[in-house]
Amino acid sequence: MDRNAVDHLSFTLDTGSVVGLLGPNGAGKSTLTKLVCGIAVPDSGTVRLFGRRPDEHGGRAKAELGVVHQSAPFDMMLTASDNLRIATAFKGLSWRAVRPWVDARAEEFGIAGKLSQLVFTLSGGERRRLQLIRALLGGPRLLLLDEPSAGLDVAGRRQLWQQLDRLRRERDTTVLWTSHYVEELERNCGRILIVDRGRLVESGTPRRLADTFGRPSAVVRPATPRDTQALAAVLDRYGLTSVRGEETVQVTGVDVRERIREPLDQARAAGITIASVEYQAASLEDAFMELVGERA
């Protein structure tokens, strides 16, 4: 059955904000990116970048846009430097003026010695770093990131985060960040849009989403492992969702820290000694799974 890739999805981005776009495969994230870039046109509704349509004549909106796609479209038979020169020309910039900035970013990302090489000789991680430099040319007002950390090692991911934070602080750049690394969005974004089947399911700060839709838990360890079953039985009587292990019982649910107090008092009164209680806060990943379910 046919359905819209993006269906009545409406949101605005505040200047200088970093907004994460989170959804399962087929949720409409890539289509949304294409609409914002102006390479796809909506059947109905409008997309506005700085008050203008991205596909309007003259491309003024596109000139203020930087994009990192999932794939890295380069001319593989040109050098990395030549690819950047071409991108500079498309943005209407002077290569002589931006070259010092390019060299500094290449040094920072660890590919300073690779700019003279043909792109096809670069590794996947090196091409990703090159793509990031190209997207940041000229300091775009809006930066679209579609899986920017794919192919990067831990050091590369941290360099990416630092560079984006600097760009946001120094130039007030707005970032729309799509990633399957939930913890990456949770760490770097002030607001999260959760989409599924082309629709906006929920939005909010990572903490609000986690607290509202996630599942905080408590891991209770009795002093004597053989008391684990009896402890689980006490917790179950209070309607708490518990999973019994060999030596612990894990309880999940909203307000679990408050709701578990009385059952634990009853367990102690029944002669069960509690060795420890470890509380674990709900995460954005918990909320995402709760809202999207198996499609996640």
Side-chain angles (χ1 to χ4, degrees):
M1 180 173 134
D2 292 336
R3 63 178 179 84
N4 294 329
V6 176
D7 190 9
H8 292 85
L9 200 161
S10 178
F11 63 91
T12 59
L13 302 177
D14 295 331
T15 300
S17 62
V18 182
V19 178
L21 189 61
L22 185 59
N25 291 331
K29 303 187 299 297
S30 294
T31 300
L32 178 62
T33 300
K34 293 176 182 177
L35 291 170
V36 175
C37 290
I39 59 177
V41 180
D43 296 325
S44 62
T46 58
V47 178
R48 296 283 180 181
L49 297 182
F50 320 115
R52 301 184 294 273
R53 295 199 324 271
D55 61 329
E56 75 176 22
H57 180 69
R60 293 174 59 198
K62 286 186 180 180
E64 298 174 309
L65 180 66
V67 186
V68 175
H69 297 285
Q70 287 190 44
S71 59
F74 291 110
D75 189 321
M76 295 294 181
M77 298 307 295
L78 292 180
T79 66
S81 180
D82 284 341
N83 272 274
L84 293 176
R85 289 172 68 103
I86 292 171
T88 300
F90 272 115
K91 284 181 173 283
L93 303 172
S94 162
W95 175 246
R96 178 177 294 181
V98 302
R99 183 60 192 265
W101 180 91
V102 167
D103 290 341
R105 298 293 79 73
E107 183 71 34
E108 182 178 352
F109 284 131
I111 60 171
K114 306 288 185 176
L115 294 183
S116 61
Q117 290 185 208
L118 300 179
V119 172
F120 83 88
T121 68
L122 302 181
S123 68
E126 289 166 346
R127 292 178 198 171
R128 178 63 66 179
R129 289 173 169 85
L130 181 62
Q131 192 181 16
L132 289 168
I133 293 173
R134 183 174 64 180
L136 295 174
L137 281 169
R141 291 177 63 190
L142 174 62
L143 186 61
L144 300 182
L145 304 176
D146 195 358
E147 303 293 344
S149 295
L152 292 179
D153 55 20
V154 174
R157 290 175 67 190
R158 288 184 178 274
Q159 289 166 355
L160 165 67
W161 299 344
Q162 292 167 2
Q163 179 65 30
L164 293 174
D165 183 61
R166 183 184 304 122
L167 189 71
R168 181 188 60 80
R169 286 185 286 104
E170 293 178 356
R171 295 180 177 269
D172 216 20
T173 300
T174 305
V175 180
L176 181 60
W177 190 327
T178 301
S179 177
H180 281 110
Y181 295 113
V182 179
E183 75 282 359
E184 180 174 68
L185 298 183
E186 190 169 24
R187 174 171 180 164
N188 293 285
C189 300
R191 177 179 165 215
I192 302 293
L193 308 176
I194 296 180
V195 297
D196 188 27
R197 301 180 189 274
R199 289 181 174 269
L200 180 62
V201 176
E202 192 64 52
S203 69
T205 66
R207 187 71 266 152
R208 188 192 75 80
L209 292 173
D211 290 342
T212 305
F213 302 102
R215 290 179 173 271
S217 65
V219 179
V220 185
R221 182 183 300 275
T224 305
R226 66 173 178 269
D227 286 338
T228 302
Q229 185 171 353
L231 173 61
V234 173
L235 296 170
D236 288 342
R237 288 201 299 269
Y238 281 81
L240 295 170
T241 302
S242 64
V243 178
R244 182 168 62 89
E246 292 184 0
E247 298 183 355
T248 62
V249 179
Q250 183 174 18
V251 184
T252 60
V254 178
D255 297 328
V256 66
R257 186 184 291 265
E258 289 74 24
R259 294 175 62 199
I260 202 174
R261 291 175 180 172
E262 185 176 349
L264 290 182
D265 288 341
Q266 290 297 316
R268 294 185 183 98
I272 300 173
T273 301
I274 305 300
S276 65
V277 182
E278 178 184 347
Y279 295 101
Q280 299 173 348
S283 68
L284 178 60
E285 183 174 319
D286 295 331
F288 179 50
M289 294 297 295
E290 183 71 19
L291 289 166
V292 179
E294 293 182 359
R295 284 175 49 77

